[in-house]
Amino acid sequence: MANSNHYIVIMAGGVGSRFWPVSRSNYPKQFIDILGTGQTLIQQTFNRFKEICPPENIYFVTNESYRSLIKEQIPEAINDNILGEPVMRNTAPCIAYACHKIAKKNPDACIVVAPSDHLILQEEAFKDAIRESLKLTEANNFLVTLGIVPSRPDTGYGYIQHTSTKVGENFYKVKTFTEKPDLDLAKTFIASGDFLWNAGIFVWNATTILKAFEKHLPEVNEIFAEGKIFLNTSKEQDFIKTAYTRCKNISIDYGVMEKAENVYVRPSDFGWSDLGTWASVYEVKKEKDYVGNVVIDSNKVIMYDSANCIVRTPTDKLVVLQGLDGYIVVESNNVLMICKKSEEQEVKQIVADIKQKYGEKYL
């Protein structure tokens, strides 16, 4: 049974540049069926949360220009629950906006904040973790985050270190947050046994998170607190346009979570991936041929002496690969990209170079 005091905030404002050329600034990653499942990532996220709380309690924070995409892909979304950001200001301002808006409507709210574009393979285990976290934050002034039990020393994720201090069956007090480490440090983290991957999924009650903003990020909190009278009224959008120009660009991790004393983490293992890169899509796709190739959506691909590649091209395109090992081959609209999987971190720089040379045409 869905609880009317439970709310979800789905963050859907990113541009997904590492999935270029499929992900474009006018149609980014979260609105695309990256995995070829028949559902876009944001549709999967919404459907996952519908069992946690009533659909009318699910909010979206996104770029103003993506409002229509959300409404198109999620017809159940309520217009007033689609919060349009006039400019990108990272996660702290968007969370402050959503939590102030929800708190005005329901001071007893318990709120889950989650990205729109992550993969969850074990949905029931995920829902159990969310429900447990909501129950804990109903009764305690805790800021809860879900930490993923690491399977390897990955340098692409942030890490959360926890102490042995335990609350309930599954929650530990957080000791430190660490940004993406180098490989040697990541290996040390894994060996210690008290580090988890930071999934960027948070749970708290409205009172606790607003107090945390007031204490640790007062300059952002004051902007939305001053404009509280405009939230949930016809003047909200005009207020937000002005408010965002005053907000600093800062993440919730750096602005609040790393500073707060009342942060707890739930170690979790529910088949999570942030699907941050084409290589991560390659890793999670189980449908590989006998030499490790993955083909998504494309149905006319012929390979000779090629292995460990990921191919995503238009369905009507005939693709022939010869002699490639460990490559990404992706075509979308007017762009074809062929890139080594091992060097895909260069994609962001490639996008920046293209913008400098050709403007926005190919982005």
Side-chain angles (χ1 to χ4, degrees), residues 132 136 166-172 266-267:
E132 279 183 30
L136 185 75
K166 203 172 182 183
V167 173
E169 286 186 26
N170 294 313
F171 297 87
Y172 294 85
R266 185 193 188 279

Side-chain angles (χ1 to χ4, degrees), residues 109-128:
C110 280
I111 303 165
V112 179
V113 178
S116 60
D117 53 4
H118 288 186
L119 173 69
I120 307 291
L121 292 174
Q122 296 163 34
E123 302 230 338
E124 291 309 313
F126 172 77
K127 290 175 208 168
D128 287 345

Side-chain angles (χ1 to χ4, degrees), residues 16 140 158 211 232 263:
N140 299 278
K211 280 184 180 174
N232 304 321
V263 181

Side-chain angles (χ1 to χ4, degrees), residues 229-244:
I229 56 169
F230 303 119
L231 298 178
N232 304 321
T233 75
S234 59
K235 296 181 179 178
E236 180 174 325
Q237 272 310 108
D238 288 337
F239 160 68
I240 290 301
K241 283 176 186 172
T242 307
Y244 264 72

Side-chain angles (χ1 to χ4, degrees), residues 32-41 44 278 281 285 287 295-298 312:
I32 297 168
D33 179 9
I34 289 282
L35 295 165
T37 63
Q39 284 192 329
T40 66
L41 295 175
Q44 289 184 28
W278 284 113
V281 172
K285 287 296 281 185
E287 302 86 1
V295 177
I296 300 174
D297 288 346
S298 318
R312 191 184 196 276

